[in-house]
Amino acid sequence: MKNFLVLTIILMLGACGRVVAQDAAAASKRANQQYVLFESERDKGTNVTGMYSYLLDSYENFMKVVEAPDNGQYLSGAKNRLRAMYPYLLNGAVYYSEQKQPSKALDFAAAYIEMPRLKIFQSELLPKDNRYASVVYYAAVSAYNLQKYSQALKYFQEYLSTGTDTQQKDCYVYMNMIYQSQKNYSEQERVLEEAIAKYPVSLDFLYNLVNVHIATNNMPKLLSAIDRILEVDPNNDKVLPIKARILERQGKNQEALDIYKRLYALHPDSFEIVNNGATIANDTEYALVRQRASGYLLDAKDLFLKILEKEPSSKMYMQGLAGVYQYMDMKSEYEVLMKIITDGASYTSFPSRLLAYNEALKKTEGVAQQQESAPVPVEPAM
């Protein structure tokens, strides 16, 4: 029984070897046939599409021969034919690019890029056309648009390795977008740092680095990236609010308020900036610098009043002003304004409502005082 099993395995292995050899033979036969048809169409020059169809089919079958394990008797012929078709693969990529067929153009461009990397050509240098870098970049972008991201990354990296400057920055942009879409933050950070080293004053890469550190919740690196942006643009209003909020969470209210003051000076009409600054100015932990904060609150109050003169129905700005009143302990103004907001009324009613509120408050206080001063009857002594 044991001998029978051994014999069966040997027979199966032998059959498998014959199949592989037959596959290499069949692929070689098909590849040569298609190559002859390619040459025929090339010489006639009447059917360009057919010519490149034969060429690509021939290339794909020769690749099967190269990859087959038992390809000894066919490899030399395959190598010669691949070498001969190499420049025509580039022409095919250009042709389909002009025909607005990026998928087919990518097939030819990929073949042109990959062929020099084959093991069979390691001992020789296939001559690259002076358009090589452009073809690589086109292939990378086409792969990206076709959502073939692994291939795109490979070719963007190949373009960078050519040392050509023309599309170098765009390569980093695309690579960043790919890693971002994959949430591969470690690779995204690596690519961005490499890009920033080459383009230190390009804020787009630094902005993306900020987003990476926000996504990974890495506060030390986030603050470092923000500071790098501020070295280039000290008044950058995209990252200053982020830094202010981080400092606020860290309890560094003095530094946070200083940033909001800078932002307010740059954008005095920004509701968000004024409102955030007013909020931090009221922080109970900020009592030691409350006197300095009061100046900011007065600025905020004046801004909201100025806007409400033009937009008296704006609930957002009324809420902002109500917050300032609350922070400044202006209880009457706060309660009247909150009642206006609740009623859905206009800010134009605020002066009259505040007057009525204060008058009612005086009457209430007067009654309370009279009650306090009235004699309290006592039981007569027995």
Side-chain angles (χ1 to χ4, degrees):
M1 182 66 180
K2 184 177 179 181
N3 292 336
F4 174 75
L5 288 174
V6 171
L7 179 60
T8 301
I9 292 171
I10 292 173
L11 290 173
M12 289 176 64
L13 290 173
C16 182
R18 286 194 298 273
V19 169
V20 170
Q22 289 172 2
D23 287 345
S28 178
K29 181 179 179 180
R30 171 75 179 182
N32 282 294
Q33 287 174 342
Q34 298 302 93
Y35 188 82
V36 170
L37 291 172
F38 154 72
E39 287 185 314
S40 176
E41 292 296 340
R42 181 196 62 191
D43 295 341
K44 289 187 291 185
T46 56
N47 183 6
V48 178
T49 301
M51 175 186 73
Y52 285 123
S53 179
Y54 291 135
L55 177 64
L56 188 61
D57 193 4
S58 176
Y59 166 79
E60 290 173 346
N61 277 280
F62 276 128
M63 287 302 299
K64 290 179 182 178
V65 174
V66 171
E67 294 166 0
D70 190 10
N71 59 5
Q73 66 184 103
Y74 310 105
L75 191 57
S76 178
K79 181 178 180 180
N80 290 334
R81 282 280 163 89
L82 285 170
R83 187 190 297 108
M85 71 170 63
Y86 183 58
Y88 295 103
L89 292 171
L90 173 61
N91 294 342
V94 173
Y95 171 76
Y96 282 110
S97 172
E98 293 173 347
Q99 298 299 310
K100 309 298 182 186
Q101 297 185 49
S103 181
K104 283 186 174 293
L106 177 59
D107 289 338
F108 280 90
Y112 184 75
I113 296 167
E114 297 296 338
M115 191 182 292
R117 303 180 181 188
L118 294 176
K119 187 176 180 179
I120 58 175
F121 290 114
Q122 284 184 351
S123 60
E124 63 180 281
L125 187 64
L126 290 177
K128 294 179 180 177
D129 190 276
N130 56 12
R131 294 169 290 176
Y132 178 77
S134 297
V135 171
V136 171
Y137 180 74
Y138 174 84
V141 174
S142 296
Y144 175 84
N145 291 333
L146 294 167
Q147 298 184 0
K148 297 180 178 182
Y149 296 135
S150 296
Q151 190 177 23
L153 287 168
K154 182 179 180 180
Y155 294 158
F156 282 127
Q157 197 62 56
E158 173 65 14
Y159 181 89
L160 293 176
S161 70
T162 67
T164 308
D165 294 333
T166 312
Q167 305 294 343
Q168 195 173 82
K169 189 174 183 180
D170 291 337
C171 287
Y172 287 117
V173 171
Y174 276 111
M175 293 169 76
N176 170 66
M177 290 191 295
I178 292 172
Y179 287 129
Q180 183 179 23
S181 68
Q182 297 173 339
K183 296 185 178 181
N184 188 343
Y185 297 122
S186 60
E187 283 301 300
Q188 187 182 3
E189 181 182 359
R190 179 189 63 77
V191 165
L192 287 171
E193 288 290 6
E194 189 176 318
I196 292 165
K198 292 180 180 291
Y199 307 98
V201 296
S202 179
L203 292 181
D204 287 341
F205 292 126
L206 283 165
Y207 288 147
N208 277 277
L209 189 61
V210 165
N211 290 332
V212 168
H213 298 320
I214 289 174
T216 57
N217 197 32
N218 191 322
M219 290 301 109
K221 284 190 174 183
L222 174 56
L223 278 172
S224 174
I226 289 173
D227 287 339
R228 290 161 73 180
I229 292 173
L230 295 176
E231 287 176 8
V232 179
D233 181 9
N235 291 322
N236 189 289
D237 57 5
K238 292 182 175 63
V239 297
L240 277 173
I242 300 173
K243 184 172 183 179
R245 287 194 291 272
I246 294 172
L247 292 172
E248 183 181 354
R249 290 174 189 170
Q250 293 177 343
K252 298 177 181 178
N253 295 322
Q254 171 72 62
E255 297 175 48
L257 184 60
D258 287 343
I259 290 176
Y260 280 122
K261 283 187 173 184
R262 284 172 61 189
L263 288 167
Y264 175 70
L266 294 168
H267 305 284
D269 295 332
S270 170
F271 170 80
E272 182 180 0
I273 290 171
V274 173
N275 199 49
N276 287 343
T279 302
I280 191 174
N282 188 60
D283 196 311
T284 54
E285 297 178 5
Y286 202 46
L288 294 177
V289 289
R290 189 63 179 270
Q291 185 176 358
R292 292 183 61 189
S294 63
Y296 187 93
L297 291 169
L298 288 171
D299 290 339
K301 179 170 73 70
D302 291 342
L303 172 63
F304 288 134
L305 288 172
K306 182 173 67 175
I307 294 174
L308 286 169
E309 286 178 5
K310 298 178 181 179
E311 301 179 40
S313 299
S314 173
K315 182 178 178 181
M316 179 178 71
Y317 287 105
M318 281 193 280
Q319 288 173 330
L321 181 58
V324 172
Y325 284 147
Q326 183 182 27
Y327 302 154
M328 295 180 73
D329 297 325
M330 298 173 69
K331 183 179 178 182
S332 299
E333 287 79 358
Y334 170 73
E335 291 187 356
V336 170
L337 192 49
M338 288 303 297
K339 186 66 169 64
I340 291 173
I341 294 170
T342 303
D343 294 346
S346 169
Y347 181 75
T348 54
S349 65
F350 178 77
S352 59
R353 287 197 183 202
L354 180 61
L355 181 62
Y357 179 92
N358 286 333
E359 289 178 354
L361 187 61
K362 287 178 182 178
K363 290 179 181 180
T364 303
E365 290 174 349
V367 170
Q369 289 176 357
Q370 289 177 3
Q371 290 176 346
E372 289 174 2
S373 60
V376 179
V378 296
E379 292 291 332
M382 294 299 292

